[in-house]
């Protein structure tokens, strides 16, 4: 009803669980809320509160029709209040969502859709431990790199793209991408004792608790079950901390301690103060305009044409600022197991460059410095916006700070 909270405590717990585990989920709800986000003709306070919750928990609204989902018996009142939400990995698998207008034995119309159960939740990865790095180095060294007499920004972009394509063509043969099916995060603190007590609680609950004795028994067993859960979590935590033996493991501990999600950039004030952002895209654009003014979306044609510089002039300008030896030292200075940037090239790959490949990288660096131009591939970044602590208003774009991941 309209008196109930827009987001119940159970729904909040469910969202927290989904955010922690990454499990795909589908939520069908009678929201009793209006919002243009799910095609209602207008917004109300409940709708705005639910919008905030949906976007902050990174859920997708699957409802894509303006057909009313509620129609009163007399036909005078109708609204679109029944919504379908899904995690972003699941949403693309939902097809043909629609409201069945035929008469049913309820004020609410039946919502129908198709879910493609044949699709699997997969991601791709390369098993670098099985890659023959000696062969990788030999093949990369065998490539005859183009000799460039005159460099332009367009020529530099072309050479960077060619270099990256050569790397991935070799990796596709020696270390092809594999599909990894979704696996829920294991619950490390679960014990056989908890499994046994859960069965007890379920058995007592199924007895329907027809008298006070049964209800008291159920309360006692549930209380004991919760006590066992708290004990198991505490013991698992102590065991984890005891295993921390060196400084390299401390970041893992810090990540766990700070895993409580803070405010997420969701509905924000527009820069021109014309209202609130209404979609994820509008929110991201507002954040980008605030923190990266003048930034361009991917695929935007470059407007910087730049000069034409000969290779001889580049060597004179750069001199020994960039050398093969300095480049080699820089590439191998990265931790080999660090995650890759947007270009997908891990430091581990660069650690296995031979002399010719390193010389090619150094040539690209020299051309970039001499032209005053950074190739598009190197400029592509991935940004995550983190809320600043202690802010009173998280609807302002200034209440967030960006963390940028660039290519190595």
């Amino acid at each position: 009803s309209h008196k109930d909270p827009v987001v119940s405590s159970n729904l909040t717990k469910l969202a927290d669980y989904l955010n922690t585990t990454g499990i795909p989920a589908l939520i069908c709800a009678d929201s009793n809320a209006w919002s243009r986000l799910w095609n209602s003709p207008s917004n109300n306070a409940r709708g705005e509160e639910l919008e905030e919750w949906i976007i902050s928990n990174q859920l997708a609204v699957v409802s894509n029709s303006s057909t009313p989902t509620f129609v009163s018996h007399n036909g005078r009142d109708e609204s679109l209040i029944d919504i379908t939400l899904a995690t972003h990995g699941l949403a693309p698998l939902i097809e043909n969502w629609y409201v069945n207008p035929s008469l049913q034995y309820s004020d609410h119309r039946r919502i129908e859709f198709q879910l493609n159960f044949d699709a699997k939740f997969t991601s791709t990865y390369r098993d670098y431990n099985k890659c023959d790095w000696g062969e990788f180095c030999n093949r990369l060294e065998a490539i005859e790199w183009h000799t460039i007499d005159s460099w332009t920004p367009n020529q530099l972009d072309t050479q960077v793209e060619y270099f990256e394509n050569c790397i991935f063509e070799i990796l596709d043969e020696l270390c092809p991408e594999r599909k990894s099916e979704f696996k829920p995060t294991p619950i490390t603190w679960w014990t056989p004792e908890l499994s046994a007590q859960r069965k007890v609680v379920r058995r007592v609950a199924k007895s329907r608790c027809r008298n006070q004795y049964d209800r008291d028994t159920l309360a006692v067993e549930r209380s004991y079950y919760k006590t066992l859960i708290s004990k198991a979590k505490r013991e698992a935590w102590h065991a984890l901390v005891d295993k921390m033996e060196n400084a390299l493991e401390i970041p893992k501990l810090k990540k766990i301690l700070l895993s409580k999600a803070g405010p997420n950039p969701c509905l924000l004030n527009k820069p021109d103060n014309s209202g609130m952002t209404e979609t994820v895209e509008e929110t991201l654009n507002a954040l980008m305009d605030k923190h990266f003014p003048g930034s361009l979306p991917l695929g935007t044609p470059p407007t910087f044409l730049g000069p034409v510089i000969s290779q001889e002039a580049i060597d004179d300008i750069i001199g020994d600022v960039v050398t093969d030896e300095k480049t080699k030292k820089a590439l191998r200075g990265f931790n080999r197991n660090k995650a890759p940037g947007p270009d997908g090239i891990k430091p581990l790959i660069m650690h296995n460059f031979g002399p010719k490949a390193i010389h090619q990288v150094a040539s690209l660096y020299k051309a970039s410095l001499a032209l005053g131009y950074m190739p598009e591939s190197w400029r592509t970044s991935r940004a995550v916006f983190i809320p600043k602590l202690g802010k009173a208003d998280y609807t302002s774009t200034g209440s967030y700070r960006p963390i940028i991941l660039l290519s190595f």
Side-chain angles (χ1 to χ4, degrees), residues 12 19 82 86 148 181 186 217 244 255 273 305 313 315 333 344 354 356 365 394:
T12 300
N19 289 331
D82 300 282
I148 309 298
E181 292 191 17
T217 301
M244 298 287 177
K255 182 178 180 181
N273 296 320
L305 299 178
D315 293 335
K356 289 178 64 177
Y365 287 164
Y394 284 100

Side-chain angles (χ1 to χ4, degrees), residues 113-296:
F113 54 84
Q114 295 175 335
L115 183 59
N116 185 1
F117 286 103
D118 293 331
K120 295 182 179 180
F121 297 93
T122 61
S123 59
T124 58
Y125 73 100
R126 297 182 191 271
D127 189 350
Y128 290 108
N129 291 325
K130 296 182 179 180
C131 182
D132 185 342
W133 290 111
E135 180 63 18
F136 170 83
C137 181
N138 291 337
R139 292 196 186 188
L140 197 59
E141 289 295 282
I143 295 174
E144 293 295 332
W145 303 109
H146 302 298
T147 301
I148 309 298
D149 295 325
S150 298
W151 289 87
T152 64
N154 184 59
Q155 184 69 52
L156 180 57
D157 277 326
T158 302
Q159 292 303 308
V160 169
E161 182 180 2
Y162 177 69
F163 183 75
E164 292 176 351
N165 288 341
C166 288
I167 291 174
F168 287 114
E169 285 177 7
I170 298 173
L171 287 175
D172 287 340
E173 293 185 28
L174 301 179
C175 185
E177 288 188 333
R178 300 171 181 267
K179 288 187 176 181
S180 174
E181 292 191 17
F182 170 80
K183 294 181 180 179
T185 303
I187 302 177
T188 56
W189 49 265
W190 192 261
T191 65
E193 187 180 11
L194 284 172
S195 296
Q197 183 59 23
R198 182 173 61 180
K199 290 180 180 179
V200 172
V201 172
R202 288 177 174 176
R203 184 173 64 250
V204 175
K206 286 181 180 178
S207 68
R208 298 186 180 179
C209 299
R210 295 173 179 172
N211 54 55
Q212 188 61 42
Y213 174 79
D214 290 341
R215 288 191 287 273
D216 291 343
T217 301
L218 178 59
V220 171
E221 296 297 346
R222 277 181 172 168
S223 176
Y224 181 54
Y225 181 46
K226 291 180 180 179
T227 300
L228 289 179
I229 290 176
S230 298
K231 178 184 175 183
K233 287 183 176 180
R234 185 168 57 253
E235 291 178 348
W237 170 253
H238 289 163
L240 175 64
V241 174
D242 289 341
K243 288 192 297 184
M244 298 287 177
E245 297 179 349
N246 56 63
L248 294 177
E249 294 177 332
I250 298 302
K252 179 180 178 181
L253 184 62
K254 179 181 177 182
K255 182 178 180 181
I256 295 172
L257 292 172
L258 298 179
S259 61
K260 181 66 177 178
N264 288 304
C266 34
L267 302 183
L268 304 177
N269 286 313
K270 293 181 179 179
D272 58 2
N273 296 320
S274 60
M276 303 287 286
T277 58
E278 297 182 359
T279 65
V280 173
E281 288 74 19
E282 281 191 359
T283 297
L284 290 176
N285 288 335
L287 287 167
M288 293 297 290
D289 290 342
K290 169 66 176 180
H291 297 282
F292 304 99
S295 60
L296 300 174

Side-chain angles (χ1 to χ4, degrees), residues 2 30 32 34 67-82 99 106-111:
H2 289 286
D30 173 6
N32 276 318
W34 292 6
T67 303
T69 61
F70 171 85
V71 180
S72 62
H73 287 297
N74 56 22
R76 294 178 181 175
D77 298 319
E78 60 180 32
S79 59
L80 205 169
I81 56 176
D82 300 282
V99 180
S106 171
D107 292 337
H108 296 265
R109 296 294 182 248
R110 186 170 71 242
I111 294 175

